[in-house]
């Protein structure tokens, strides 16, 4: 029975009548944070984002569009395989392969950053010319960390084992070896402060291939706007700056997948959760608003 007056359903953006078959975007909540080394809790991120997203205004005054009818299906939460991070990555890869095979856009809601490996691993098997745009305060580029080859601190390194087409934005924490090895793939936050947004967008448009995967570690944002992360790093990107850069890229490139990771909710503080949900909605608006 449906109540005469009921709150929006429990799914991303609280949308009625969503089906997998009819979806353009398929969201998978991944409540996984087993390799977190500092402050764990990002396994609670997906629930916090979905909860916040049910309160979002679906018309965007910024773009003049309402993209809630493109088909955005939210799956049940993925059960991580706690035997190893590799096993969880493999599970994600299988799920994302199914979504990508049907021509739909996978959206992972994290959870820790390690989950990106499953998503990108699946998409690279389908698209050989795919670029990854990686927003993160940290370069995540150690060959291993605390003995683990597959973990949040080495996820970018593992991605770079898979592809050369990875570009990082907003980094302000990196080890010396990685800085020497991967410096040319990184747009550091310190340099972004001195560049105008148009030139940043142009640099990215020239580097990225036609198809783009967006991986967003929310700690790329300044902790004043995004305190709810496991490893907050000062002097970060601002929400409007991030939106403008993503908009500039997606006006010219095709989004084939994305993830938004590392939200580590702080009890009683809902603004960062809402920001994360809104960010996802705006990314989909930039990508599908013209369709
Ligand atoms: Mn990260």
């Amino acid at each position: 029975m449906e109540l005469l007056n009921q709150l929006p359903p429990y799914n991303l953006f609280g949308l009625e009548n969503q089906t997998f078959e009819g979806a353009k975007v398929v969201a998978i909540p991944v409540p996984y944070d087993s390799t977190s080394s500092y402050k764990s809790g990002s396994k609670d991120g997906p629930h916090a984002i979905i909860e916040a997203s049910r309160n979002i205004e679906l018309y965007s005054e910024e773009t003049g569009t309402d993209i809630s009818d493109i088909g955005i299906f939210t799956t049940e939460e993925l059960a991580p395989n706690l035997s190893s991070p590799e096993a969880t990555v493999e599970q994600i890869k299988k799920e994302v392969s199914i979504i990508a095979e049907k021509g739909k856009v996978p959206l992972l809601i994290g959870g820790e950053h390690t989950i990106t490996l499953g998503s990108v691993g699946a998409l690279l098997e389908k698209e050989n010319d795919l670029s990854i745009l990686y927003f993160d305060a940290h370069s995540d580029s150690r060959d291993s960390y605390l003995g683990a080859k597959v973990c949040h601190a080495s996820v970018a390194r593992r991605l770079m084992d898979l592809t050369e087409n990875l570009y990082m934005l907003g980094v302000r924490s990196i080890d010396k070896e990685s800085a020497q090895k991967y410096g040319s793939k990184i747009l550091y936050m310190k340099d972004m402060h001195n560049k105008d947004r148009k030139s940043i967008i142009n640099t990215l448009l020239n580097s990225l291939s036609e198809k783009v995967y967006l991986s967003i570690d929310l700690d790329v944002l300044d902790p004043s706007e995004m305190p709810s992360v496991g490893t907050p790093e000062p002097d970060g990107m601002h929400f409007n700056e991030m939106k403008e850069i993503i908009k500039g890229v997606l006006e010219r490139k095709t989004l084939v997948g994305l993830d938004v990771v590392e939200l580590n909710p702080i009890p009683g503080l809902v603004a960062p959760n809402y920001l994360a949900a809104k960010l996802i909605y705006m990314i989909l608006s930039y990508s599908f608003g013209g369709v």
Side-chain angles (χ1 to χ4, degrees), residues 112-114 134-140 152-153 155 216-219 231 261-262:
E112 63 166 79
H113 212 159
T114 313
Y134 195 95
F135 288 79
D136 207 314
H138 315 87
S139 65
D140 296 349
H152 70 98
V155 51
I216 298 177
D217 187 325
L218 290 164
D219 68 26
T231 41
V261 298
E262 298 285 355

PDB file of all heavy atoms in Angstrom, residues 112-114 134-140 152-153 155 216-219 231 261-262, ligand 1:
ATOM      1  N   GLU A 112      35.613   3.988   0.575  1.00  0.00           N
ATOM      2  CA  GLU A 112      36.983   4.462   0.381  1.00  0.00           C
ATOM      3  C   GLU A 112      37.391   4.406  -1.079  1.00  0.00           C
ATOM      4  O   GLU A 112      36.742   3.747  -1.902  1.00  0.00           O
ATOM      5  CB  GLU A 112      37.944   3.658   1.252  1.00  0.00           C
ATOM      6  CG  GLU A 112      37.991   2.181   0.882  1.00  0.00           C
ATOM      7  CD  GLU A 112      39.176   1.470   1.497  1.00  0.00           C
ATOM      8  OE1 GLU A 112      39.113   1.146   2.685  1.00  0.00           O
ATOM      9  OE2 GLU A 112      40.162   1.215   0.765  1.00  0.00           O
ATOM     10  N   HIS A 113      38.480   5.098  -1.372  1.00  0.00           N
ATOM     11  CA  HIS A 113      38.860   5.343  -2.754  1.00  0.00           C
ATOM     12  C   HIS A 113      39.267   4.078  -3.513  1.00  0.00           C
ATOM     13  O   HIS A 113      39.204   4.028  -4.750  1.00  0.00           O
ATOM     14  CB  HIS A 113      40.004   6.370  -2.804  1.00  0.00           C
ATOM     15  CG  HIS A 113      39.966   7.218  -4.027  1.00  0.00           C
ATOM     16  ND1 HIS A 113      40.580   8.443  -4.109  1.00  0.00           N
ATOM     17  CD2 HIS A 113      39.384   7.019  -5.231  1.00  0.00           C
ATOM     18  CE1 HIS A 113      40.384   8.949  -5.322  1.00  0.00           C
ATOM     19  NE2 HIS A 113      39.652   8.104  -6.016  1.00  0.00           N
ATOM     20  N   THR A 114      39.642   3.039  -2.782  1.00  0.00           N
ATOM     21  CA  THR A 114      40.072   1.781  -3.400  1.00  0.00           C
ATOM     22  C   THR A 114      39.041   1.233  -4.394  1.00  0.00           C
ATOM     23  O   THR A 114      39.394   0.572  -5.369  1.00  0.00           O
ATOM     24  CB  THR A 114      40.316   0.724  -2.284  1.00  0.00           C
ATOM     25  OG1 THR A 114      41.085   1.350  -1.259  1.00  0.00           O
ATOM     26  CG2 THR A 114      41.036  -0.489  -2.804  1.00  0.00           C
ATOM     27  N   TYR A 134      41.089  12.628 -11.948  1.00  0.00           N
ATOM     28  CA  TYR A 134      41.177  12.150 -10.569  1.00  0.00           C
ATOM     29  C   TYR A 134      41.337  13.341  -9.633  1.00  0.00           C
ATOM     30  O   TYR A 134      42.389  13.995  -9.620  1.00  0.00           O
ATOM     31  CB  TYR A 134      42.397  11.237 -10.500  1.00  0.00           C
ATOM     32  CG  TYR A 134      42.557  10.336  -9.305  1.00  0.00           C
ATOM     33  CD1 TYR A 134      42.105   9.020  -9.345  1.00  0.00           C
ATOM     34  CD2 TYR A 134      43.227  10.768  -8.166  1.00  0.00           C
ATOM     35  CE1 TYR A 134      42.312   8.160  -8.270  1.00  0.00           C
ATOM     36  CE2 TYR A 134      43.426   9.915  -7.086  1.00  0.00           C
ATOM     37  CZ  TYR A 134      42.966   8.619  -7.148  1.00  0.00           C
ATOM     38  OH  TYR A 134      43.172   7.769  -6.088  1.00  0.00           O
ATOM     39  N   PHE A 135      40.284  13.652  -8.899  1.00  0.00           N
ATOM     40  CA  PHE A 135      40.335  14.767  -7.935  1.00  0.00           C
ATOM     41  C   PHE A 135      40.719  14.206  -6.569  1.00  0.00           C
ATOM     42  O   PHE A 135      40.028  13.328  -6.039  1.00  0.00           O
ATOM     43  CB  PHE A 135      38.964  15.441  -7.803  1.00  0.00           C
ATOM     44  CG  PHE A 135      38.545  16.264  -8.984  1.00  0.00           C
ATOM     45  CD1 PHE A 135      38.038  15.657 -10.127  1.00  0.00           C
ATOM     46  CD2 PHE A 135      38.634  17.652  -8.953  1.00  0.00           C
ATOM     47  CE1 PHE A 135      37.635  16.417 -11.212  1.00  0.00           C
ATOM     48  CE2 PHE A 135      38.231  18.425 -10.037  1.00  0.00           C
ATOM     49  CZ  PHE A 135      37.732  17.797 -11.171  1.00  0.00           C
ATOM     50  N   ASP A 136      41.773  14.732  -5.992  1.00  0.00           N
ATOM     51  CA  ASP A 136      42.221  14.204  -4.699  1.00  0.00           C
ATOM     52  C   ASP A 136      43.221  15.163  -4.068  1.00  0.00           C
ATOM     53  O   ASP A 136      44.045  15.743  -4.774  1.00  0.00           O
ATOM     54  CB  ASP A 136      42.888  12.825  -4.910  1.00  0.00           C
ATOM     55  CG  ASP A 136      42.794  11.925  -3.686  1.00  0.00           C
ATOM     56  OD1 ASP A 136      43.068  12.407  -2.573  1.00  0.00           O
ATOM     57  OD2 ASP A 136      42.458  10.745  -3.862  1.00  0.00           O
ATOM     58  N   ALA A 137      43.152  15.309  -2.765  1.00  0.00           N
ATOM     59  CA  ALA A 137      44.183  16.067  -2.053  1.00  0.00           C
ATOM     60  C   ALA A 137      45.488  15.292  -1.994  1.00  0.00           C
ATOM     61  O   ALA A 137      46.562  15.875  -1.883  1.00  0.00           O
ATOM     62  CB  ALA A 137      43.718  16.381  -0.637  1.00  0.00           C
ATOM     63  N   HIS A 138      45.362  13.971  -2.068  1.00  0.00           N
ATOM     64  CA  HIS A 138      46.522  13.094  -1.938  1.00  0.00           C
ATOM     65  C   HIS A 138      46.771  12.384  -3.262  1.00  0.00           C
ATOM     66  O   HIS A 138      45.823  12.054  -3.974  1.00  0.00           O
ATOM     67  CB  HIS A 138      46.268  12.049  -0.847  1.00  0.00           C
ATOM     68  CG  HIS A 138      45.672  12.620   0.398  1.00  0.00           C
ATOM     69  ND1 HIS A 138      44.313  12.769   0.560  1.00  0.00           N
ATOM     70  CD2 HIS A 138      46.250  13.133   1.514  1.00  0.00           C
ATOM     71  CE1 HIS A 138      44.065  13.340   1.732  1.00  0.00           C
ATOM     72  NE2 HIS A 138      45.225  13.575   2.337  1.00  0.00           N
ATOM     73  N   SER A 139      48.021  12.132  -3.567  1.00  0.00           N
ATOM     74  CA  SER A 139      48.293  11.511  -4.871  1.00  0.00           C
ATOM     75  C   SER A 139      48.000  10.013  -4.864  1.00  0.00           C
ATOM     76  O   SER A 139      47.934   9.401  -5.920  1.00  0.00           O
ATOM     77  CB  SER A 139      49.743  11.755  -5.282  1.00  0.00           C
ATOM     78  OG  SER A 139      50.615  11.096  -4.383  1.00  0.00           O
ATOM     79  N   ASP A 140      47.799   9.410  -3.716  1.00  0.00           N
ATOM     80  CA  ASP A 140      47.437   7.974  -3.632  1.00  0.00           C
ATOM     81  C   ASP A 140      48.354   7.109  -4.484  1.00  0.00           C
ATOM     82  O   ASP A 140      47.924   6.131  -5.085  1.00  0.00           O
ATOM     83  CB  ASP A 140      45.978   7.735  -4.114  1.00  0.00           C
ATOM     84  CG  ASP A 140      44.933   8.426  -3.243  1.00  0.00           C
ATOM     85  OD1 ASP A 140      45.275   8.915  -2.156  1.00  0.00           O
ATOM     86  OD2 ASP A 140      43.766   8.462  -3.672  1.00  0.00           O
ATOM     87  N   HIS A 152      43.685   2.467  -0.182  1.00  0.00           N
ATOM     88  CA  HIS A 152      43.348   3.855  -0.511  1.00  0.00           C
ATOM     89  C   HIS A 152      44.578   4.694  -0.832  1.00  0.00           C
ATOM     90  O   HIS A 152      44.500   5.668  -1.563  1.00  0.00           O
ATOM     91  CB  HIS A 152      42.565   4.485   0.649  1.00  0.00           C
ATOM     92  CG  HIS A 152      43.414   4.717   1.857  1.00  0.00           C
ATOM     93  ND1 HIS A 152      43.965   5.940   2.142  1.00  0.00           N
ATOM     94  CD2 HIS A 152      43.849   3.870   2.811  1.00  0.00           C
ATOM     95  CE1 HIS A 152      44.693   5.833   3.254  1.00  0.00           C
ATOM     96  NE2 HIS A 152      44.633   4.588   3.678  1.00  0.00           N
ATOM     97  N   ALA A 153      45.757   4.313  -0.287  1.00  0.00           N
ATOM     98  CA  ALA A 153      46.967   5.116  -0.490  1.00  0.00           C
ATOM     99  C   ALA A 153      47.746   4.717  -1.737  1.00  0.00           C
ATOM    100  O   ALA A 153      48.738   5.361  -2.080  1.00  0.00           O
ATOM    101  CB  ALA A 153      47.865   5.021   0.745  1.00  0.00           C
ATOM    102  N   VAL A 155      45.849   3.560  -4.667  1.00  0.00           N
ATOM    103  CA  VAL A 155      44.863   3.317  -5.731  1.00  0.00           C
ATOM    104  C   VAL A 155      45.262   4.002  -7.036  1.00  0.00           C
ATOM    105  O   VAL A 155      45.147   3.415  -8.123  1.00  0.00           O
ATOM    106  CB  VAL A 155      43.430   3.694  -5.282  1.00  0.00           C
ATOM    107  CG1 VAL A 155      43.355   5.066  -4.704  1.00  0.00           C
ATOM    108  CG2 VAL A 155      42.438   3.560  -6.412  1.00  0.00           C
ATOM    109  N   ILE A 216      36.222  11.227  -7.851  1.00  0.00           N
ATOM    110  CA  ILE A 216      36.281  12.381  -6.945  1.00  0.00           C
ATOM    111  C   ILE A 216      36.414  11.932  -5.504  1.00  0.00           C
ATOM    112  O   ILE A 216      35.485  11.372  -4.907  1.00  0.00           O
ATOM    113  CB  ILE A 216      35.025  13.257  -7.118  1.00  0.00           C
ATOM    114  CG1 ILE A 216      34.998  13.789  -8.551  1.00  0.00           C
ATOM    115  CG2 ILE A 216      35.044  14.407  -6.097  1.00  0.00           C
ATOM    116  CD1 ILE A 216      33.793  14.601  -8.880  1.00  0.00           C
ATOM    117  N   ASP A 217      37.608  12.155  -4.970  1.00  0.00           N
ATOM    118  CA  ASP A 217      37.825  11.991  -3.545  1.00  0.00           C
ATOM    119  C   ASP A 217      37.446  13.329  -2.913  1.00  0.00           C
ATOM    120  O   ASP A 217      38.057  14.369  -3.210  1.00  0.00           O
ATOM    121  CB  ASP A 217      39.300  11.655  -3.296  1.00  0.00           C
ATOM    122  CG  ASP A 217      39.573  11.294  -1.850  1.00  0.00           C
ATOM    123  OD1 ASP A 217      38.920  11.882  -0.960  1.00  0.00           O
ATOM    124  OD2 ASP A 217      40.465  10.457  -1.615  1.00  0.00           O
ATOM    125  N   LEU A 218      36.442  13.298  -2.059  1.00  0.00           N
ATOM    126  CA  LEU A 218      35.911  14.561  -1.530  1.00  0.00           C
ATOM    127  C   LEU A 218      36.944  15.346  -0.713  1.00  0.00           C
ATOM    128  O   LEU A 218      36.764  16.535  -0.480  1.00  0.00           O
ATOM    129  CB  LEU A 218      34.646  14.292  -0.709  1.00  0.00           C
ATOM    130  CG  LEU A 218      33.439  13.854  -1.566  1.00  0.00           C
ATOM    131  CD1 LEU A 218      32.355  13.233  -0.687  1.00  0.00           C
ATOM    132  CD2 LEU A 218      32.867  15.026  -2.363  1.00  0.00           C
ATOM    133  N   ASP A 219      38.035  14.672  -0.319  1.00  0.00           N
ATOM    134  CA  ASP A 219      39.041  15.438   0.434  1.00  0.00           C
ATOM    135  C   ASP A 219      39.806  16.418  -0.435  1.00  0.00           C
ATOM    136  O   ASP A 219      40.618  17.197   0.062  1.00  0.00           O
ATOM    137  CB  ASP A 219      39.964  14.506   1.242  1.00  0.00           C
ATOM    138  CG  ASP A 219      40.875  13.637   0.388  1.00  0.00           C
ATOM    139  OD1 ASP A 219      41.194  14.006  -0.743  1.00  0.00           O
ATOM    140  OD2 ASP A 219      41.278  12.569   0.903  1.00  0.00           O
ATOM    141  N   THR A 231      40.918  12.015   5.863  1.00  0.00           N
ATOM    142  CA  THR A 231      42.219  12.669   5.904  1.00  0.00           C
ATOM    143  C   THR A 231      42.107  14.079   5.331  1.00  0.00           C
ATOM    144  O   THR A 231      42.473  14.337   4.186  1.00  0.00           O
ATOM    145  CB  THR A 231      43.261  11.866   5.086  1.00  0.00           C
ATOM    146  OG1 THR A 231      42.635  11.418   3.883  1.00  0.00           O
ATOM    147  CG2 THR A 231      43.770  10.671   5.847  1.00  0.00           C
ATOM    148  N   VAL A 261      33.832   9.497  -3.562  1.00  0.00           N
ATOM    149  CA  VAL A 261      34.282   8.628  -2.475  1.00  0.00           C
ATOM    150  C   VAL A 261      34.793   9.402  -1.270  1.00  0.00           C
ATOM    151  O   VAL A 261      35.034  10.612  -1.340  1.00  0.00           O
ATOM    152  CB  VAL A 261      35.405   7.673  -2.976  1.00  0.00           C
ATOM    153  CG1 VAL A 261      34.886   6.770  -4.078  1.00  0.00           C
ATOM    154  CG2 VAL A 261      36.636   8.438  -3.429  1.00  0.00           C
ATOM    155  N   GLU A 262      34.953   8.657  -0.197  1.00  0.00           N
ATOM    156  CA  GLU A 262      35.606   9.115   1.032  1.00  0.00           C
ATOM    157  C   GLU A 262      34.775  10.058   1.892  1.00  0.00           C
ATOM    158  O   GLU A 262      35.312  10.721   2.775  1.00  0.00           O
ATOM    159  CB  GLU A 262      36.987   9.736   0.744  1.00  0.00           C
ATOM    160  CG  GLU A 262      37.999   8.775   0.131  1.00  0.00           C
ATOM    161  CD  GLU A 262      38.597   7.750   1.114  1.00  0.00           C
ATOM    162  OE1 GLU A 262      38.284   7.847   2.316  1.00  0.00           O
ATOM    163  OE2 GLU A 262      39.328   6.863   0.647  1.00  0.00           O
TER     164      GLU A 262
HETATM  165 MN1  LIG B   1      42.042   9.356  -2.529  1.00  0.00          MN
END
